[in-house]
Amino acid sequence: MSPFVNTYLTPNATAVKFAIKTTLAMMLALYVALWFDLERPYWALMSAAFLQVRPMSGMVIEKGICQLSGTVIGAVAGIVIMALFVQARIPALIVLTAWIMLCTYVGSLWRNNYTYGCLMAAVTAMLIVVISSGSTPAGIFDIAVARLSELGLGAVCAMLVSSLLWPSHVGTHLATQADSVINEAFEHAALRLEASNDIPAMQKALRSSLAPLTLLETDSQAARFEGPVGPGRVRATHVLTRRTLRFFANLQALHQLMYDHADRLDPQSIELACRGAQGFREAEHVKGVAKARKALQVLRHQVHESDHENSIAPLDQRLRLGLRESIGHALVMLDAREAIASPGRHKLRSSPLAWHRDHLAASINAIRSGLLFALLATFWIVTAWNSAMIAMMLGTLFSAFFASRENPVAITMMFYKGMLAAIPSAFLFGHVLLSQANGFPMLAMLFGTPLFLGLLGATNPATMGYCLAFAIFNILLTMPGNGMDFTFDSFANRVVAVVIGLTCVVMAFRLLPGPGARLRRRRLIKAISQDIDGLRRRSIRDAETRFSGHMADRLLQLAQHDDMLPEDQRHLFILGLTGLDLGTAMLRLRDRLDDALHPLIRRTHQDLLQTLANGFAESANGRPPQGIREAGKQLEAAIETYGDIPADRLVLMKGLVERLELALERLARIMAERPKIKSMHKAPSAPVLKK
């Protein structure tokens, strides 16, 4: 059944509540704007609509603060530009273009509502400079105050309605995402410990866990605005992210041992891993954290009992230790889930993560936004057409807003279709019928109808782009206010302006699409290699923070790149997990040996870390690693001579080095034997606009 049929014939309660809340927030903003006779009340409606896209109270407050902050910064920038070039329109537009590029660049480096703040800084400055062109200094200041008042009013109304009417909280959303992360991670664990060769199934489970994990880490910052327990949820989210990544790294190592080197392992170790797979499946399917924890504790007890056997080879010891560590990580993940749901009863400590930022992609986004605005500004100057301001505003807004999305062209086309559907609706409701309205109740009933219908479909990711655009362009094409112009020529001018503006956005993304799949893949591989090499230079805490944060995002991107390849050419998934496993192992070695007393141990330890980092870089390019075994033997000899590490620890370290060498040799074979990729393109499925 079509998503539109589902949305409008069988709407769920969440969709209806969202549409009612957002429509009420917009009507409240419109009423107050009309009461105070603001110049452009429709900006208050737009502000309320954008803030309610994700209606959790903490997110609305965070986004509102970012919007107001960005508006203030943009207003100051606009005033400064006009103060310097009030009589020189061309230099003012050149400086404004540079400001828009800067805001787009900075916004592209963020993953949360700070991006929206940067966007509002660009749009507000653009509105002040363009609208106040030719105005007096006092008029420029009045325009800036008017824009601040309109956008601020919409933000206040959205936050008020979100808090009072059917309030939903970030904490509940985070707990739901944490459940998805843990369930999919346990499914991935079961496949790994069974030594499965079903790579697509493992990749699907991994991606299904990493996607909500990335969203969870981004959204958790909004929990700070939901009372004193909010920071506890944020810390618990950081713990869940770190432990989940370590969990995946251990599983990658265990799977590689059992799948490629089963002949070198004791059959009892293989059987123990299979029991572990069954234990994780049981923990996944039980209801409640307490039952899942009990299932994992039983599994951990079984693994501990098997450790009393004598004469176990180093690889077997490493396998069993890895299984114990995986269970330990899983138990901490469950603790983090409880702390997210009930931060008052369960308190965890953790530092924030550092996320991967692609400066090349941000630069391309900035150049695209600058060129698009310059084109539309030139069109405005040449034609002296007042409605061209609408096209300039749309170009600035959507070129930056869609730049960080996975498929901006497809998403822009969704908005384009929603805009086309809004044209007859805005003409009927916003001009033919609204021209006969008398009083605000009739205005709200007529104008609110298309807004409510559009917002009703905005909760479904499959229809969100069309429906949100339908609501937004009904506002822009109607432009409600105390002195509305109902003539057909003004409506036609607005229609032409929005068509030109959105068409230019589509063409900008097509002509300057950003880094290609091959380039992004190479940059991701290079970034992973650099992070692994940097693990030995920073403090352990800083290195772990940066590595964990970067790898979550990069693993998700590598998994998405693998989806674009034929089944027999998928290798990036394995490369990313090998890098995660190697980085985690290097951090473990540093934790054990960084404080060694003898300088020879410290020097051979650093040599081993350097050799491992070089080995990953070589393996990622299809060349076998060199010198790992020799570096491991030198460290082992130094420890035996000058160290006081117990014998069992030394055996485990020897098994770790041997396992890492095998993992890198396997990665080198995969990268060397992979088929040459002639095209990274695949027919895209219907895009989904993230809310």
Side-chain angles (χ1 to χ4, degrees):
M1 187 180 293
S2 168
F4 289 98
V5 175
N6 280 333
T7 298
Y8 288 102
L9 293 186
T10 58
N12 56 45
T14 302
V16 175
K17 289 179 180 179
F18 169 78
I20 293 174
K21 285 178 63 173
T22 308
T23 303
L24 285 178
M26 295 167 72
M27 291 300 105
L28 177 61
L30 178 60
Y31 179 80
V32 177
L34 294 175
W35 177 272
F36 285 103
D37 196 24
L38 297 182
E39 183 182 0
R40 289 176 169 82
Y42 55 87
W43 273 110
L45 273 76
M46 296 272 288
S47 172
F50 274 108
L51 288 186
Q52 284 283 355
V53 169
R54 305 192 70 185
M56 282 81 77
S57 57
M59 288 190 180
V60 173
I61 294 173
E62 183 189 45
K63 197 170 187 178
I65 292 174
C66 291
Q67 174 178 294
L68 292 176
S69 301
T71 302
V72 171
I73 294 173
V76 172
I79 292 173
V80 170
I81 292 172
M82 293 307 296
L84 295 174
F85 306 103
V86 66
Q87 300 298 330
R89 184 168 58 175
I90 301 300
L93 290 174
I94 293 174
V95 176
L96 177 61
T97 302
W99 172 255
I100 291 173
M101 293 175 66
L102 175 63
C103 292
T104 304
Y105 176 82
V106 175
S108 298
L109 299 178
W110 293 99
R111 299 298 177 87
N112 47 28
N113 286 322
Y114 295 135
T115 298
Y116 185 65
C118 294
L119 173 64
M120 292 310 301
V123 172
T124 304
M126 185 275 298
L127 290 173
I128 291 173
V129 172
V130 173
I131 294 174
S132 62
S133 179
S135 300
T136 63
I140 294 172
F141 184 77
D142 291 341
I143 291 171
V145 172
R147 298 295 80 75
L148 282 170
S149 302
E150 293 152 3
L151 293 171
L153 173 62
V156 171
C157 291
M159 289 188 281
L160 182 65
V161 173
S162 176
S163 300
L164 298 179
L165 184 61
W166 296 308
S168 58
H169 301 285
V170 175
T172 305
H173 164 71
L174 296 180
T176 302
Q177 295 295 325
D179 286 338
S180 300
V181 170
I182 292 174
N183 288 336
E184 294 296 337
F186 285 2
E187 173 63 24
H188 182 74
L191 292 169
R192 287 285 185 183
L193 295 178
E194 290 170 350
S196 171
N197 61 353
D198 191 352
I199 297 296
M202 288 189 289
Q203 185 173 7
K204 180 177 180 295
L206 177 73
R207 191 168 58 252
S208 298
S209 182
L210 282 175
L213 182 65
T214 306
L215 183 65
L216 181 74
E217 187 65 40
T218 302
D219 291 347
S220 66
Q221 301 304 313
R224 295 174 296 174
F225 301 94
E226 291 190 347
V229 298
R233 286 195 171 99
V234 177
R235 290 192 298 270
T237 301
H238 296 330
V239 171
L240 179 60
T241 300
R242 280 195 173 89
R243 290 293 180 161
T244 303
L245 290 174
R246 291 183 184 179
F247 185 63
F248 288 145
N250 273 351
L251 293 173
Q252 158 72 7
L254 296 176
H255 179 265
Q256 188 259 333
L257 279 179
M258 293 185 294
Y259 187 74
D260 289 342
H261 306 285
D263 56 328
R264 301 175 61 175
L265 297 172
D266 191 314
Q268 292 184 2
S269 298
I270 303 294
E271 181 184 353
L272 187 64
C274 291
R275 291 207 302 268
Q278 183 61 32
F280 277 112
R281 289 196 188 280
E282 292 175 0
E284 176 193 359
H285 291 101
V286 298
K287 292 185 178 180
V289 173
K291 292 183 178 179
R293 182 183 288 107
K294 184 177 180 180
L296 290 178
Q297 287 172 342
V298 171
L299 177 60
R300 183 170 62 175
H301 180 68
Q302 294 175 357
V303 176
H304 274 295
E305 285 184 340
S306 70
D307 282 349
H308 297 297
E309 302 174 14
N310 296 322
S311 303
I312 302 178
L315 276 183
D316 284 291
Q317 289 198 31
R318 173 50 54 184
L319 175 68
R320 298 185 187 196
L321 176 61
L323 187 55
R324 290 204 312 271
E325 290 176 341
S326 297
I327 298 170
H329 292 322
L331 288 170
V332 176
M333 290 163 61
L334 293 176
D335 291 339
R337 163 62 179 86
E338 285 196 320
I340 290 173
S342 305
R345 289 181 294 170
H346 306 274
K347 296 182 179 180
L348 299 175
R349 301 179 66 180
S350 180
S351 57
L353 302 178
W355 291 97
H356 168 67
R357 293 190 174 102
D358 193 334
H359 292 272
L360 175 62
S363 300
I364 293 176
N365 292 338
I367 293 172
R368 184 193 302 113
S369 295
L371 290 175
L372 178 59
F373 177 77
L375 174 65
L376 292 172
T378 303
F379 174 72
W380 173 55
I381 293 173
V382 170
T383 61
W385 182 38
N386 286 335
S387 294
M389 297 180 186
I390 300 175
M392 296 167 67
M393 183 270 294
L394 291 178
T396 304
L397 179 66
F398 291 125
S399 64
F401 189 66
F402 295 144
S404 59
R405 299 304 189 269
E406 296 172 7
N407 196 341
V409 174
I411 294 175
T412 308
M413 289 306 301
M414 293 170 66
F415 263 68
Y416 202 98
K417 294 174 183 177
M419 177 268 293
L420 294 177
I423 293 174
S425 169
F427 181 71
L428 175 62
F429 288 95
H431 287 73
V432 176
L433 297 179
L434 200 60
S435 63
Q436 308 301 317
N438 184 17
F440 185 80
M442 183 63 70
L443 181 150
M445 184 179 68
L446 292 174
F447 185 56
T449 299
L451 300 184
F452 177 83
L453 292 175
L455 295 168
L456 190 62
T459 57
N460 185 346
T463 61
M464 182 185 180
Y466 305 103
C467 296
L468 189 59
F470 180 81
I472 290 173
F473 284 104
N474 264 283
I475 297 172
L476 282 176
L477 293 174
T478 302
M479 291 188 176
N482 285 323
M484 291 181 62
D485 184 357
F486 292 104
T487 59
F488 180 77
D489 59 340
S490 64
F491 175 75
N493 274 328
R494 290 195 288 269
V495 170
V496 174
V498 298
V499 169
I500 290 175
L502 214 51
T503 300
C504 289
V505 173
V506 174
M507 295 307 298
F509 280 115
R510 288 189 179 277
L511 296 175
L512 193 60
R518 290 186 180 182
L519 177 59
R520 284 190 294 166
R521 182 194 66 187
R522 289 198 298 268
R523 287 177 58 80
L524 283 169
I525 294 173
K526 181 179 179 181
I528 294 174
S529 299
Q530 290 175 342
D531 268 1
I532 289 175
D533 186 59
L535 287 176
R536 59 192 180 86
R537 297 191 179 95
R538 299 184 177 90
S539 67
I540 294 180
R541 182 175 180 179
D542 183 40
E544 181 186 5
T545 296
R546 292 175 60 87
F547 187 73
S548 298
H550 290 172
M551 285 305 295
D553 191 26
R554 288 170 182 162
L555 275 174
L556 184 59
Q557 292 188 46
L558 288 172
Q560 291 168 349
H561 287 320
D562 255 5
D563 280 347
M564 302 169 68
L565 297 173
E567 195 74 34
D568 61 340
Q569 296 182 13
R570 296 183 177 179
H571 57 280
L572 303 176
F573 164 70
I574 298 172
L575 184 145
L577 282 181
T578 303
L580 176 60
D581 172 37
L582 179 64
T584 305
M586 290 174 64
L587 288 171
R588 188 183 298 119
L589 285 171
R590 285 196 58 188
D591 187 51
R592 301 272 173 79
L593 298 175
D594 266 11
D595 297 328
L597 297 177
H598 200 278
L600 181 60
I601 297 179
R602 294 197 298 270
R603 188 173 70 250
T604 53
H605 170 226
Q606 286 295 320
D607 290 343
L608 176 60
L609 295 179
Q610 178 67 61
T611 304
L612 289 171
N614 294 340
F616 179 81
E618 294 294 319
S619 299
N621 290 291
R623 297 185 292 270
Q626 303 292 329
I628 294 178
R629 185 169 302 179
E630 291 75 12
K633 288 181 177 179
Q634 291 175 7
L635 176 60
E636 181 183 348
I639 292 174
E640 288 177 345
T641 305
Y642 302 105
D644 56 354
I645 297 178
D648 58 338
R649 291 279 185 181
L650 192 59
V651 172
L652 288 174
M653 191 198 72
K654 181 179 178 182
L656 175 63
V657 174
E658 184 179 0
R659 181 185 66 73
L660 292 176
E661 183 182 31
L662 293 173
L664 292 177
E665 288 176 349
R666 176 175 181 258
L667 176 63
R669 290 195 302 272
I670 292 172
M671 299 300 290
E673 296 171 359
R674 73 187 192 276
K676 296 296 182 182
I677 303 171
K678 296 181 179 179
S679 175
M680 289 286 293
H681 298 285
K682 175 183 176 182
S685 57
V688 175
L689 184 65
K690 295 180 181 177
K691 293 193 288 178

